[in-house]
Amino acid sequence: MRRIYRMSPGCNNGRYAIRWITASLYIVLRTELDRSTELFLADKLHVLRTMLRERPDDEDGLREEIELESEARRYQQFYIRLLDEHGVPIMTTPGMDEQLDLAELASRTRGRSERSIAMAGRHGQPLRVTSATVTVGTLPTHSDTVQIAIDVSQEVELLARYRMWFWGILLATSILFPLVGYRIARHGIRPVEEIAATARRITSTNLRERIGSEGYPSELASLAGTFNEMLERLEESFERISRFTADIAHDLRTPVNNIRGEAEVALARARTVDEYRDVLESSLEEAVRLSELIGDLLFLARAESPLTELHRENMNISELLTTVRDYYEASATDAGISFVVKEWAHPLNAELDRSLMLRAVSNLVSNAIAHTLPGGTVTLAATNEDAVIRIEISDTGVGIPAEAIPSVFDRFFRVDPSRSKISGSTGLGLAIVQSILALHGGSAEITNQLGHGTRVTLRMPVLAMR
């Protein structure tokens, strides 16, 4: 797959900034050079005007200013011509007529008093020229004309060199910035490529892969951390599914093997009617157990479906607990266990699915009776805490080991597998309770003291979430 790396907006902005700064500096330099030339011409006109007004007879001073000072300058030459009122030259800088056309100078500056203009010399050199009429003497009787030209070749060459540097910088930035942008883009996209490569390596059998986010920018480090957290959840879910699948296979295989084994033994030789009856009764027990297990699994599957709908109705919680007590009271009495329902002073009503709540509470009561020794007590109680119904099922049984508490709501988890085989428990009872509470927007939690009993607390809102 071909990859296209576009220059980042930051690189384009940097290139535009360099262009703008360089062009601005060029404009400032040109403006300052023009201003310096204008100031020089104005200063020369001011000096000559002052001399002609205050010292018109000082020919030596005028000759030094017009003829000698320019020869002393090495780089920036200037030329001055002084004309009388009839246009006859009085003084002229030596070599001025060789450098520029004096007739053109006179015509170009006529009518432009003290305003400088550009003009080319005889050899093509750039000049800046101006002209002014000045009065002679303190009591002016006539006026002379001063013409000044200054060679600005040095300034033009400086600006030309600057323009060359300017285009060189633009060319360099046009080459350098894309390269820098490419390197920055490559460096910036490297963590994304590593994350993508890690994601491609991850399969259902390789969920232990993680993204090493050391050295990543904070934004991508956060993304990598979130991705790793997601992988941890996926790994945990896959492990749970794998254990669940293995447990299903084991729990389904046991009754099927029992039925098959009993049938093979019964068919090995002729049996009496009573022997066949015993085999059928045993097979029926295993079939019932298998049917209950499949029913529990189907219930859990439906409970986890987002399309599952509850048949809520306004029900009295005290009546619910009384119904459960009436159903299990006989078996609790046979086991030598006291059964107590604590009545709430005020009616407790909530919008619940009656059949599901009966199943959840019944599962918990059945567990409590099964794990409470003769002489113990199973207690049911309900309270209302800030629009939340709280149902407690507590017993004085053997309790649950602390290390088993985090797993008691897992499917097929059994605290004592050997005891579960005798009682026929599938290990799905508490998982079903948790699913029912989740459907009602509630929760279930267990508190326990080993050897002193267990308390299961169910919490659910009084009103259904609309």
Side-chain angles (χ1 to χ4, degrees), residues 357 360-361 363-364 367 388-393 405-410 429-447 454-461:
M357 289 308 303
V361 177
N363 282 355
L364 295 174
N367 277 350
V388 175
I389 294 295
R390 173 177 172 178
I391 299 175
E392 290 186 354
I393 299 92
I405 292 292
S407 304
V408 292
F409 289 107
D410 292 347
L430 291 180
I432 291 173
V433 171
Q434 188 181 50
S435 296
I436 292 174
L437 267 294
L439 286 173
H440 285 82
S443 63
E445 64 178 25
I446 291 182
T447 55
T454 302
R455 176 185 291 110
V456 181
T457 303
L458 309 180
R459 291 184 176 86
M460 66 215 78

Side-chain angles (χ1 to χ4, degrees), residues 100-395:
L100 67 159
D101 187 338
L102 298 180
E104 181 184 358
L105 172 63
S107 63
R108 294 283 299 275
T109 57
R110 185 177 294 113
R112 295 176 177 270
S113 180
E114 300 187 27
R115 291 171 56 188
S116 68
I117 60 173
M119 177 178 167
R122 291 185 183 275
H123 306 293
Q125 73 273 31
L127 300 170
R128 199 78 184 173
V129 298
T130 188
S131 174
T133 301
V134 297
T135 58
V136 179
T138 54
L139 296 175
T141 58
H142 65 278
S143 299
D144 292 344
T145 300
V146 177
Q147 296 173 343
I148 305 176
I150 182 171
D151 190 336
V152 292
S153 299
Q154 295 291 331
E155 288 84 346
V156 172
E157 291 177 4
L158 176 62
L159 291 174
R161 288 195 301 272
Y162 194 93
R163 285 195 299 272
M164 182 181 66
W165 278 103
F166 173 71
W167 291 113
I169 291 173
L170 288 184
L171 179 62
T173 54
S174 298
I175 297 174
L176 182 62
F177 271 66
L179 294 176
V180 172
Y182 175 79
R183 291 294 300 273
I184 292 174
R186 286 287 300 169
H187 180 75
I189 205 171
R190 179 181 59 82
V192 178
E193 292 179 341
E194 292 178 359
I195 292 174
T198 302
R200 283 192 294 269
R201 290 195 300 269
I202 294 173
T203 63
S204 60
T205 58
N206 181 30
L207 288 173
R208 297 186 180 277
E209 188 82 23
R210 294 294 183 271
I211 298 172
S213 58
E214 293 79 8
Y216 284 7
S218 58
E219 297 82 0
L220 290 179
S222 175
L223 174 64
T226 304
F227 194 80
N228 287 335
E229 292 175 1
M230 180 191 70
L231 289 177
E232 290 176 2
R233 293 193 296 270
L234 286 176
E235 182 181 8
E236 182 181 354
S237 298
F238 268 81
E239 289 179 354
R240 187 183 299 112
I241 290 172
S242 297
R243 291 195 302 269
F244 180 58
T245 303
D247 290 337
I248 288 178
H250 178 271
D251 280 72
L252 290 177
R253 182 179 59 187
T254 300
V256 170
N257 285 342
N258 290 341
I259 294 173
R260 177 182 176 181
E262 291 174 351
E264 289 175 347
V265 170
L267 294 175
R269 61 180 178 85
R271 304 285 180 178
T272 64
V273 174
D274 291 337
E275 289 175 332
Y276 282 124
R277 182 182 295 277
D278 292 339
V279 170
L280 291 175
E281 289 177 352
S282 177
S283 297
L284 179 60
E285 291 177 0
E286 294 294 340
V288 170
R289 179 188 171 196
L290 185 60
S291 177
E292 291 176 350
L293 175 61
I294 294 173
D296 290 343
L297 291 173
L298 288 174
F299 174 81
L300 288 172
R302 287 194 298 268
E304 292 182 348
S305 171
L307 301 178
T308 300
E309 295 184 2
L310 299 180
H311 301 287
R312 293 180 181 268
E313 58 181 284
N314 193 313
M315 58 180 297
N316 187 287
I317 303 301
S318 297
E319 293 180 0
L320 171 71
L321 299 185
T322 300
T323 301
V324 174
R325 181 195 63 187
D326 294 342
Y327 184 82
Y328 283 99
E329 192 169 26
S331 56
T333 302
D334 292 342
I337 298 171
S338 301
F339 207 130
V340 178
V341 175
K342 293 184 178 179
E343 298 288 345
W344 181 248
H346 305 286
L348 290 176
N349 292 306
E351 294 182 3
L352 306 173
D353 188 307
R354 178 181 295 273
S355 61
L356 292 184
M357 289 308 303
L358 276 173
R359 183 169 187 174
V361 177
S362 297
N363 282 355
L364 295 174
V365 170
S366 176
N367 277 350
I369 293 174
H371 294 88
T372 301
L373 300 176
T377 303
V378 174
T379 304
L380 300 182
T383 57
N384 187 339
E385 299 178 347
D386 298 328
V388 175
I389 294 295
R390 173 177 172 178
I391 299 175
E392 290 186 354
I393 299 92
S394 57
D395 60 60

Side-chain angles (χ1 to χ4, degrees), residues 73-87:
R73 296 175 68 91
R74 181 177 179 183
Y75 294 107
Q76 193 175 38
Q77 296 292 325
F78 67 91
Y79 308 94
I80 302 176
R81 188 167 71 149
L82 180 63
L83 306 174
D84 62 15
E85 57 185 342
H86 302 293

